[in-house]
Amino acid sequence: GENVEQHPSTLSVQEGDSAVIKCTYSDSASNYFPWYKQELGKRPQLIIDIRSNVGEKKDQRIAVTLNKTAKHFSLHITETQPEDSAVYFCAVSPGAAGNKLTFGGGTRVLVKP
Amino acid sequence: EAEVAQSPRYKITEKSQAVAFWCDPISGHATLYWYRQILGQGPELLVQFQDESVVDDSQLPKDRFSAERLKGVDSTLKIQPAELGDSAMYLCASSFGPGQGSTDTQYFGPGTRLTVL
């Protein structure tokens, strides 16, 4: 089955700096790559996603890049703010029928004021 | 904005007892998912429904877990008997489903945090 690895597991940045989280996956047929943010005790919230026919997508301070050849994708957060502190999960969906998501292990991001 | 609803939010039970969790997906979403999230890890799929049919329960421990979505709308996940290792967050998610011409986006509920003593 699909295997998703996420790094780093924890990330501490100074407010205003950038944060980058990387995920690698194993199934070359995967075609959908969402990122979720989960604050303590709350539901995972979709923050950005990308499909295999796009190499990069940006939404304000958040961007995701995809390298299908290398089978990795990354989340970039610029000008980090304290409210960006949370756990971030990458996920991968298979190209075959069905929308099962396989999640990475998560990255705990701490933005220090 | 419509959201996935789950209840209860918290459940404490003793091992060997039965527990049940309920999920109400976003209206119009044909696909419903139950995930288990162990503390410090990403969610893992337990079971996926398309309307009232199970399409993937390969990771569901069927000796003690059961799930149903009788009318293709809300769903119940049951554990009987509960074991210590079942302590986790149980998340429900929903999406429009494949072939709907929309997205694969899954929307999550707030989860039920289960503690087995």
Side-chain angles (χ1 to χ4, degrees):
Chain A
E2 176 71 90
N3 183 48
V4 181
E5 294 191 359
Q6 183 172 344
H7 298 282
S9 57
T10 60
L11 181 59
S12 182
V13 297
Q14 205 66 38
E15 182 178 359
D17 288 349
S18 295
V20 181
I21 304 169
K22 181 177 178 179
C23 286
T24 60
Y25 60 98
S26 58
D27 189 349
S28 57
S30 296
N31 67 356
Y32 177 60
F33 309 90
W35 285 90
Y36 284 85
K37 174 183 180 182
Q38 188 175 29
E39 298 177 53
L40 189 63
K42 296 190 176 181
R43 72 186 74 198
Q45 297 266 21
L46 179 73
I47 56 172
I48 195 167
D49 57 12
I50 194 168
R51 299 189 180 276
S52 58
N53 58 346
V54 176
E56 183 174 355
K57 184 177 179 180
K58 188 174 182 180
D59 182 4
Q60 298 182 351
R61 298 185 297 108
I62 293 173
V64 57
T65 57
L66 171 65
N67 184 327
K68 282 224 69 179
T69 302
K71 290 188 285 187
H72 67 71
F73 58 111
S74 299
L75 177 71
H76 305 253
I77 307 174
T78 58
E79 301 172 23
T80 54
Q81 301 169 4
E83 53 265 36
D84 295 329
S85 295
V87 179
Y88 292 81
F89 292 97
C90 64
V92 175
S93 180
N99 302 328
K100 173 184 174 180
L101 287 176
T102 301
F103 284 84
T107 297
R108 182 172 299 278
V109 175
L110 175 63
V111 180
K112 296 178 288 185
Chain B
E1 181 177 305
E3 292 185 332
V4 176
Q6 288 187 250
S7 66
R9 293 293 308 278
Y10 305 91
K11 180 69 177 178
I12 299 175
T13 190
E14 294 185 344
K15 62 180 181 180
S16 80
Q17 296 299 304
V19 292
F21 315 132
W22 177 79
C23 172
D24 191 13
I26 293 173
S27 178
H29 281 192
T31 307
L32 184 146
Y33 315 79
W34 283 101
Y35 289 90
R36 177 168 59 187
Q37 185 178 26
I38 296 171
L39 191 63
Q41 299 181 20
E44 292 183 315
L45 182 72
L46 290 174
V47 61
Q48 176 182 339
F49 289 91
Q50 182 67 28
D51 300 309
E52 66 277 6
S53 300
V54 173
V55 296
D56 187 348
D57 63 356
S58 58
Q59 299 303 309
L60 187 72
K62 299 180 187 64
D63 57 334
R64 298 185 300 108
F65 286 64
S66 64
E68 60 183 16
R69 193 184 183 199
L70 294 177
K71 296 183 179 179
V73 181
D74 59 338
S75 175
T76 302
L77 178 68
K78 297 179 180 177
I79 309 175
Q80 182 174 19
E83 295 181 353
L84 296 177
D86 295 333
S87 294
M89 174 76 85
Y90 291 82
L91 291 163
C92 178
S94 70
S95 70
F96 279 108
Q100 296 293 318
S102 184
T103 69
D104 300 306
T105 303
Q106 293 186 24
Y107 299 89
F108 283 82
T112 296
R113 181 164 295 284
L114 173 66
T115 302
V116 182
L117 303 175

